[in-house]
Amino acid sequence: GKSRVSSSPCGRTIMTMVMPPATGPAGGASAAGLLALLQEDEPMLQSHALKQLYTCVDQFWSEVAGSVPRIEALSEDTSFEHRELAAAVASRCFFHLEEYNDALRLALGAGQYFDVTAPSAGQTPAEVQYVETMVAKCIDEYVRLRNEEDEAGSAGATEIDGRMVAIVERMFERCYNDQAWTQAMGVALEARRLDKVKEVLERSEIAAGAKASLLAYTLDVCVGKQQLLHSRDFRLQVLGVLVELHQAMPDGERDYASEVHCLQQLDNAAAAGETLKTLLSGTEAQHLLAYQLGFDIAESDHQAFILAVLIQLDPSAPGPLPPPTPAQAGDAMQTGAADGAAAEEGEAAAATPMDPALKERVDRLAGVLRASGFMVDLQLNFLHGQSKADPLLLLSVKEALEPRNATLHQATVAAHAFMYAGTANTSFVREHIEWFGKSSNWAKFSATASIGVIHRPKGLLSQSQQVLEAYLPRPGGNSSPYSEGGALYALGLIHAAKAGDSEEGVIPYLLETLSNAGPNEPLQHGGCLAVGLSAMGTADKQMYEVLKNILFNDSAIGGEAAAYGIGLLLLGQSRPDGWTAEALTELLAYAHDTQHEKIIRALGIAAALASYGREEAAETLIETLARDRDAIIRYGAMYTIGLAYAGTGANGAVRRLLHVAVSDVSDDVRRAAVTNLGFVLFRQAERLPPLVALLAESYNPHVRYGAALALGIALAGQAATEAGATALSMLSAMHDDTVDFVRQGALISSALVLMQQPDVFPAIKPFREKIAGILKEKHPSTMTKMGAVLAHGLLDAGGRNVTLSLSSRAGFTKASAVVGVALWAQHWYWYPLQHMLGLSFSPTALIGLNKDFKMPTQFTAHCATKPSKFAYPKMTEAKKEEKKERVETVKLSTTAKAQARAAKKEKDEKKDDDVMDADEGEEKKIEGGEEKKEEEPEKKKKGPEPLSFKLSNPSRVTPEQVQYVSFDMNQRYTPINPRSKPAGIVILMDKTPDEPEDVTAVEVPTNDGNEDEADAPEPFEWSPAMQAAGASA
C-alpha cells in the first residue's frame, strides 16, 4: 500500500492508506499479494491481509504454508489487535498440513473464529471438516489429560488449558440442544467426568424415553461386551450413580433388573438382597421377576456374593461361612457404609418375624440361590434327560489306543469325563470297570477324580458321598490312598463354588479328613484341592491357616495342592491392606525360600487367583512378580495379568502380554503370556486372531502352542463367526506342525472352537476324520494322540449339551469358569488338573418355568433357520457283523462236463415253450418296469427342509443359535423380563392363569443313567426264620 496526503475542509493535513485490490478468491489465481502485505509493519495492512486469507486459506493453503511462521508470530503478539484471526488462519493451514496438534493449539487461541456451536448449514465442506476434526482432536486431548489427572489421584495434577475445557463445555451444550444424549454420555465417560454423567442423565428427562435408553446404554458401556471403561474405580462410581437413579425412579418406571445387575457388579450384596425383598413384597409379576433375577445371580457362580445375599434375605437362616464384606476387606468400592447400614437393617429385620406369605416366597428364592436348591436339580434334569453322549464313539477311541500306554489311558479317562460331564451317567464306567481299574498310582488318583466331573454339581454332601462311597477315606479301609485322594478331589469338583451354604457341612467334612490324613501325600493333595474348590472366594482365615501349615511342611506334592487351595480360597480377595495382603506377602516370601518348582509355580498361580478381577488394583503385585529373576514367578505374573483383567479387553494388559511374548528369555513365560491373551480378550474375541497371527507362525514352538490355546479359550463354540473361521484356519495349519505338543494344542483348541457344531458345518467332518485317523495310525507321537483323544471328549462334552463359557448369559464373568480354564492350562505340568476344565462347562439350554417352577409344555420358541443348522451330530452306528460265505465244494472236470451236457439238453427241450411265452413276458417286464419307475421316485422323494422350526420346552439352544431364536409374545406364556435372551432359565408369566396347565415337573434322575435297572423291591421285614426257609429251599 502507498500513503497519500490530502487536505481536509478544515485545512488540516490527513494521511490515508490506499489499499491494494484483493488477490484472494476474487483475484483468482494466487494469494501472493496478500502474503506480501503480511510482511508490512503496518497492523492495518496485516489485519486486512489476514481477513482476506481467512476466506481463501482452504484454497491457497499450500502458498500460505510458507508464511505460517510470520502468521504464528502475529498470533502470539499481545499488542496485535487481530491475533485471534491470525491464530485461526495458522490453525487452518496446519490442519491442511495434517499437523493436528499445532492446529489444535492455535485453534484454542482463535476465540470467536473457532465456534463449535455454529450450525454447519452455512459452512463450506472444508470448514465443516476442519471444525469436526479439531473438536475430535480437542476432545481426545482433553480425555487424555483428564485420564492422566485421574490416575495421578489428585485434581490439578495435570494442567489442562482452560480454553480446551471451554470448548468441551460448549460441545456438551451443543449435544444437549441437539438431544444427542449418547454422544454426550460417551464424552463424559471417556473423560471420567462423574459430574457430567449425572448432568447428562438428569437433562435427558426432557425427552420421552431418552433416560431409560440412556441408562441402558451407560450400563452396557460399563459392563457390556465392549466394556469401554478401563478404569475400575471410575466404572464402579458410575455404577453407583446408576443405582441411585434407579432407586429414585417411581415404581412403575424402576428397572429392577438393571439395578440388581449394577449392585452385583458393585459387590453390594446387602442392597441387592433388599431390592429382591422389595420385589417379593410387591405384585405377582414382581415376585416372578425376583425369581428370574435369582436364577441370573445363581448362574454367575459368585459364591461370596450369593452367601451374602442369602444372609440378607433371611438373617435368621444359618450360614456357616459368612463372607467378608467389601468394607472389611478394605476394598476401594466405597460401598462399606451402605453395606453396614443394610446389615443393621438386616439385624433389625431378624428380630421382627416375617410375614408367612413373604417368608414362603423368600424361602423359594433362597432355594434358587442355595447350592442344595432348585438350580442344581434343574441343570441335572436337563443334562441327564437330553444327553446325546456317544458311547460307541468313546469305545472306538479306547480300542484304537495301545492298552499299555499310561498317558493315553489317562487322556481317555479325561475325555470320558468331559463327554459325560454333568450328566451323572456312569454306565460306561460300569461296563468297562476292568479297563478303568488298570490305572495305578497317580493315574488312579486322576481316574477317581474324573467321577467328580461327571456328577458335578450336587447340592448335598450325602448325595456326593453316595456316589463316591467306594472310594472315600473311611476308618479301617483298605482302599488305595490314591483312590481316596482322588475321591476327595472329586468331592471338591462336585461342590466347587457351591459348598459355602451347605447345611450338611461339606467343608467341615473335608477339613476333618484333611486333619486325619497325616503325611499321606495323595490324601493331602486331594483334600487341599477340594477345600479350595468348595470354599472358593470365601477368604476364610481359619481354612487359610490349615492350608498354610500343609504348605510350610515343604512337601512338593502336598505343598503344591495347598498353594492352589489357598489361591482358590482367596479368589479375587487381593487387597492393599488387611490380612489378605499380609498373606500374599508371606506366600511370595516362601516362594523364594522353597526349592520345589511345583510349589513355586503353584504360589505364582495362587497370586494370580487372588488378583482375579482386580484390574489396576493388582498392578503393584504384577510389577513385583514380573520383575522377579525367577522365571517361574514371572510365569505367575502372566497369569496375574490375565486373571486381573479377564474379559476387560484392556489395551494396557494386551500390550504388556505381547511385549513379554516376544522378549522374555524363558519359553514358559512366553507361552503363558500368549495364552493369557485369551482370558483378557474373551469378550472381544474378534480382536484376538489378528493379534496372534504372527505369533502362531513364530519360530518358538512354545509361543505357537500359547497362540493355539488362546484361540481355543477366547473363541470356544464360535466356529460359525468370522473370527472363529479365521481361528480354525490358523489352527488347521498347526495340525501338522513339526513339534508334537504344538499339534496337541492345536487339536484341543480346534475342538473347543468347534464345540456343538452340527454335521452340516463344513469344518466338522474333516476334523473328526483327522482326529480319528491320528488314533488309528501307529506313527503319531503320544502327545499328538493325547490331543486327538481330548479333542474327541471336548467336541461332545456334556452329552453334546454344554459349551465352554467364561461369562453368564446376564453378562457376568463367571469366576469359577475362569478359574477352571486357568488351572486346566496347568495340566502341562500335572495331568490331574485336566479335570478343572469341567468347571467352565455351561449348559446350553432354554428352559421355561412357570410360577410353580414347573415346565409348561405349551411354551415354545421360534427358531428362524433350518433345523439341520443346529441339529445334534449323528450317533456312531454299530458295525454290522459280516456273514461268513460258504465255500463251494470243488468239482472234478468230468463231473462238470456231464452236468453241462445235461443242462444243454434240458434247455433245448424248453426252447419252444419260451418262445411262445415271449410276448406275454415282455409285456410283464414293461409293466413291472413302469411300476418300479413309479415306485422309485416315491421312495427317494423327500420334502424340502423347513426354513424355521419350533423349540419345545426344554430345548438345547447353542450360543450361536440365540440370534435366530425369538419368543412368540402372543402365546399363553411370555417371559417376565422382556429383555430376557431366548436362552438359559426363563421365568414365564401366564396370561390365562385360570385355565388348566399342562406342565412337566423337574425330576432328578436317581438311577445313575441306567434306565434298564430293575426297580427296588417292596419294603419287607427280615427275620432269621426267613433265612432258614430260604436255605432249606
Side-chain angles (χ1 to χ4, degrees), residues 124-200:
T124 65
E127 290 174 333
V128 172
Q129 185 181 8
Y130 167 76
V131 172
E132 290 179 352
T133 305
M134 287 300 98
V135 167
K137 182 64 180 176
C138 179
I139 292 174
D140 289 344
E141 185 66 12
Y142 177 74
V143 166
R144 184 184 68 81
L145 295 172
R146 276 285 304 137
N147 289 346
E148 288 181 1
E149 183 180 58
D150 189 64
E151 289 166 7
S154 60
T158 303
E159 186 177 352
I160 303 178
D161 193 326
R163 297 170 299 180
M164 185 184 297
V165 176
I167 290 175
V168 173
E169 292 291 343
R170 291 206 296 270
M171 276 306 303
F172 276 114
E173 289 299 328
R174 180 177 176 181
C175 289
Y176 298 154
N177 295 333
D178 296 342
Q179 295 191 3
W181 309 114
T182 54
Q183 288 87 335
M185 180 60 73
V187 174
L189 292 173
E190 287 189 7
R192 302 185 188 180
R193 290 282 303 273
L194 195 64
D195 58 328
K196 285 296 178 183
V197 171
K198 296 178 180 178
E199 182 180 296
V200 174

Side-chain angles (χ1 to χ4, degrees), residues 1008-1019:
D1008 195 27
N1010 189 1
E1011 287 78 6
D1012 299 328
E1013 187 174 340
D1015 294 333
E1018 294 293 329

Side-chain angles (χ1 to χ4, degrees), residues 181 199-211 214:
W181 309 114
E199 182 180 296
V200 174
L201 287 168
E202 290 170 358
R203 296 188 62 166
S204 65
E205 293 178 351
I206 62 174
K211 186 172 183 178
L214 190 59

Side-chain angles (χ1 to χ4, degrees), residues 444-484:
K444 180 171 287 189
F445 175 94
S446 183
T448 310
S450 70
I451 299 174
V453 180
I454 298 170
H455 285 278
R456 182 183 188 275
K458 288 188 182 298
L460 300 175
L461 176 62
S462 57
Q463 296 173 334
S464 52
Q465 283 181 324
Q466 182 180 2
V467 169
L468 298 166
E469 183 179 8
Y471 308 104
L472 285 170
R474 57 182 183 273
N478 297 320
S479 59
S480 164
Y482 294 99
S483 292
E484 292 179 347

Side-chain angles (χ1 to χ4, degrees), residues 774-856:
I774 289 173
L775 297 181
K776 293 176 182 177
E777 295 175 5
K778 294 183 178 180
H779 302 295
S781 67
T782 298
M783 289 291 97
T784 307
K785 285 192 173 184
M786 179 181 170
V789 171
L790 293 175
H792 273 293
L794 293 171
L795 274 178
D796 299 328
R800 297 173 174 172
N801 286 309
V802 302
T803 188
L804 189 148
S805 177
L806 301 185
S807 64
S808 68
R809 292 172 185 83
F812 298 105
T813 301
K814 295 177 66 174
S816 59
V818 175
V819 166
V821 177
L823 291 177
W824 166 77
Q826 310 314 309
H827 78 266
W828 177 281
Y829 305 101
W830 189 236
Y831 283 156
L833 293 177
Q834 286 176 335
H835 303 310
M836 290 288 186
L837 194 63
L839 303 181
S840 64
F841 290 157
S842 178
T844 52
L846 172 60
I847 304 173
L849 299 175
N850 67 359
K851 63 180 181 180
D852 299 321
F853 289 176
K854 294 182 179 180
M855 298 180 286

Side-chain angles (χ1 to χ4, degrees), residues 662-777:
V662 297
S663 63
D664 201 277
V665 295
S666 169
D667 287 337
D668 285 357
V669 178
R670 296 177 70 176
R671 184 181 71 249
V674 184
T675 300
N676 278 276
L677 288 170
F679 290 108
V680 177
L681 294 172
F682 78 83
R683 288 186 188 275
Q684 304 167 28
E686 65 279 358
R687 291 175 54 190
L688 186 61
L691 279 176
V692 300
L694 293 177
L695 297 174
E697 299 175 357
S698 170
Y699 73 93
N700 190 320
H702 291 265
V703 174
R704 297 200 299 274
Y705 178 90
L709 220 58
L711 291 170
I713 292 169
L715 288 156
Q718 300 182 42
T721 63
E722 184 178 350
T726 306
L728 285 175
S729 176
M730 295 164 60
L731 291 169
S732 62
M734 288 189 270
H735 290 169
D736 300 315
D737 197 277
T738 55
V739 181
D740 56 359
F741 66 78
V742 177
R743 295 196 294 271
Q744 180 196 99
L747 292 172
I748 292 173
S749 295
S750 296
L752 289 173
V753 177
L754 288 167
M755 287 179 87
Q756 294 196 315
Q757 294 302 324
D759 290 334
V760 297
F761 189 74
I764 192 70
K765 185 177 180 181
F767 181 71
R768 286 188 181 273
E769 293 174 350
K770 174 83 176 177
I771 56 179
I774 289 173
L775 297 181
K776 293 176 182 177
E777 295 175 5

